[in-house]
Amino acid sequence: AAVSWYDEFQRLYDTIPCVEVQALKEHNDQVLHLSFSHSGSLFASCSKDCTVKIWSNELDISLQHSSNMRPYNWSYTQFSQFNSDDSLLLVSGVFVGPHNSSSGEIAVISMENFTLLSRVRNKPYDVFGCWLNETNLISGNLHRIGRITSCSVLWLNNAFQGIESENVNVVKRLFKIQNLNASTIRTVMVADCSRYDCPDLLLDYEEQLAASSTCPVFDLGSDSEEEEAKPKQPLEPAVQELPAGGGVTAEDGLQQFFDDIMEGRVRPAMTETELETKVAELFVRSRTKPPEPNLLPTDSNKTKYLIFTTGCLTYSPHQIAGCCCALPAGLGSSTACSATMQGNACVPSPRYLYVNSRAWPRDCVISDPMQPPPIAEEIDLHVFDLKTMKEVKRALRAHRAYTPNEECFFIFLDVSRDFVASGAEDRHGYIWDRHYNICLAKLQHDNVVNSVAFSPVEQELLLTASDDTTIKVWRSPRAVRVQQARKPRPRKMLFSWLMNQKS
């Protein structure tokens, strides 16, 4: 939209937030995540020191509040998100339970007086959680079916439930999803399509049905958590046929499969892992139902995309899944799955989804879901169109990671109107131009950069969080000049008088 190439050069040269103006050192351990309020006046930081800190975003950023979560048996805080009117803050962390078992928990903090309003269980902890609307948040739960198969449940929680009722949550189940192999639902987020003012972002009904076979989402009809933990309940009437079943329903196919095993007709003999995977696949088919017509979204203003990472080949989440759901029913159909990848972070822009990933070797063969192939050191930045549910472009491989498969952690990224930013394990944050896919700046830290965040109202302000325990504030050269021009300068006569007094 520039009038001339000179204007475009000025934008790329003068408006990139690459000048360090402040280093915040109030955390005493690794800083893992940053999030701005929608107004841009506040931001929150999470850290391995088990605190969530809330900062005031003024000319000089200052600490406004700090909450220590150790009294609630948290190990550390890892993620935060403000609700749409900035009245509440969701904080996700790792909870240490009985026998030192690690699970997750989500806390809701009031921005009016910084009091803790509620706590919600979240399993596994890297579901993170997210807001669905001003007062309701999504959490996860995981039910083991076998050694490598499980079932993920996503819950809708009221943010104002009392702290004393944390074991009897005010919840409604949204989705129940069969996991294959050892992978589980993680990194749940919601993209609000209504704010885009673009009805054509919604997929057609035929496209939803065409995509539903690739990422099954189903509902088993139970509302209590006790029922969720019973995987051996009678199967619901099947509505889907096995591809090679010759008209036999999935439930009949499952019974036939068990009969073949008992009578020795299955050759060659399967290992326990292969058998469990086969049963899980049949569970998916037998328990998957097409969307009811009355549950499909009819009003685009009430339509949101539920986006998460998952997988069907290894324990590492390597697919991106999306569901289009109508509120308040909270039920819908699967719309898309991406190509194979290991997802690190997802951030929505008005139409596009940006994802960090580390690729597997080309043409690799996965024989054991618990032993995935080694992943690349280079981090790919993928871009998906939420309208077509297809990958549209990939940014340059300008940032790197070195952590192996079994220890891979999240590198959070952020998107503004013109720029994309991400952390990296090479002690730098990176900024790209969204339009040209070129790397514009490298932002120096002394250790891994875990998270970046643009101000939602001023893309010339960027924050970076690092394992070096600091949060750095970066502004554009233009913003720095404006800020310096605003600083009052002492008058010449007063300056001369001060110098005379010194002498």
Side-chain angles (χ1 to χ4, degrees), residues 440-494:
L440 300 174
K442 293 176 64 175
L443 312 177
Q444 179 71 52
H445 269 272
D446 294 330
N447 211 322
V448 174
V449 178
N450 296 308
S451 180
V452 296
F454 285 103
S455 167
V457 296
E458 182 188 1
Q459 70 171 359
E460 297 180 38
L461 169 62
L462 177 71
L463 306 175
T464 56
S466 171
D467 280 358
D468 63 14
T469 75
T470 67
I471 301 169
K472 289 191 176 182
V473 184
W474 308 84
R475 294 187 183 272
S476 68
R478 181 173 69 179
V480 171
R481 289 198 307 272
V482 172
Q483 183 176 342
Q484 290 174 345
R486 289 176 178 171
K487 289 184 177 179
R489 297 180 179 177
R491 285 182 296 179
K492 195 170 183 180
M493 290 180 59
L494 180 60

Side-chain angles (χ1 to χ4, degrees), residues 80 86-87 109 126 208 226 234 262 456 466:
S80 64
D86 295 335
S87 61
I109 297 175
D126 48 8
Q208 293 186 25
E226 289 74 17
M262 298 301 295
S466 171

